[in-house]
Amino acid sequence: MSAGSPSTPATLALERAGVPFTPHVYEHHETATNFGEEAAAALGLREEQVFKTLVVSVDGTLAVAIVPVANRLDLKAIAAAVGGKKATLADPALAEKRTGYVVGGISPVGQRSRIRTVLDVSAETYPTIFVSGGRRGFDIEIAPSDLQAVTDATTAAIART
């Protein structure tokens, strides 16, 4: 990890697992509400390569969906991907409590409790993708296969335009 980058549960988990990543810090504006688009713009990246981490409730059980910020989460597809019937976005307070991160800074890595994770299949088209590093204004660049391995994620087509 480079000097000056934040130490978060995500970076610590990646370091412990020996997974290579590149930290990217950018200025987060308190007025921003679309955190993924803010990250893509600040880092000069295409929104298809920057992924947002969403916590959903599938038939009452939490799951994590990782989709490009350019897309929306297909709730029917995430439900099917985890063997459920109905998915809704989780209550933000519950998502924060279960992951240990604040909304806008929820990383798929280093969460407080292990939650079933699904990565959109489009991630496999890039050598690296960007996900939250565990706080607003901080993304990590990681190979999709490494992200899958460290989060024990499955892949499925869970994004829609």
Side-chain angles (χ1 to χ4, degrees), residues 75-132:
L75 292 170
K76 285 184 171 38
I78 184 68
V82 299
K85 292 183 178 5
K86 183 175 177 9
T88 58
L89 287 177
D91 176 74
L94 178 61
E96 290 182 346
K97 182 178 179 188
R98 288 289 302 275
T99 64
Y101 295 114
V102 297
V103 169
I106 295 178
S107 178
V109 180
Q111 295 181 357
R112 185 174 285 148
S113 53
R114 185 70 107 166
I115 303 173
R116 187 149 178 206
T117 302
V118 181
L119 175 63
D120 185 66
V121 70
S122 68
E124 296 173 342
T125 63
Y126 298 98
T128 60
I129 60 170
F130 293 75
V131 296
S132 175

Side-chain angles (χ1 to χ4, degrees), residues 6 11 23 55 63 68 79 87 89-90 97 122 129 141 150 158:
T11 61
V55 180
L89 287 177
K97 182 178 179 188
S122 68
I129 60 170
E141 182 179 1
V150 78
I158 57 170

Side-chain angles (χ1 to χ4, degrees), residues 8 11 26-28 35 45 57 64 71 78 83 86 98 101 107 115-116 119 129 135 147 156-157:
T8 65
T11 61
Y26 59 91
E27 186 177 348
H28 164 66
F35 305 105
L45 299 166
S57 175
V64 170
N71 300 104
I78 184 68
K86 183 175 177 9
R98 288 289 302 275
Y101 295 114
S107 178
I115 303 173
R116 187 149 178 206
L119 175 63
I129 60 170
R135 67 171 58 162
L147 179 62

Side-chain angles (χ1 to χ4, degrees), residues 8-21 107 109-110 140-142 146-147 150:
T8 65
T11 61
L12 295 173
L14 291 170
E15 289 168 356
R16 269 195 310 274
V19 174
F21 67 96
S107 178
V109 180
I140 51 177
E141 182 179 1
I142 187 170
D146 287 338
L147 179 62
V150 78

Side-chain angles (χ1 to χ4, degrees), residues 15-90:
E15 289 168 356
R16 269 195 310 274
V19 174
F21 67 96
T22 305
H24 295 273
V25 177
Y26 59 91
E27 186 177 348
H28 164 66
H29 298 280
E30 289 303 317
T31 57
T33 55
N34 195 320
F35 305 105
E37 288 177 5
E38 179 189 39
L43 297 172
L45 299 166
R46 293 177 56 227
E47 290 184 0
E48 294 81 7
Q49 194 176 2
V50 179
F51 284 66
K52 55 190 169 187
T53 305
L54 302 171
V55 180
V56 296
S57 175
V58 179
D59 301 334
T61 300
L62 292 186
V64 170
I66 309 168
V67 296
V69 301
N71 300 104
R72 296 177 59 162
L73 174 63
D74 183 329
L75 292 170
K76 285 184 171 38
I78 184 68
V82 299
K85 292 183 178 5
K86 183 175 177 9
T88 58
L89 287 177

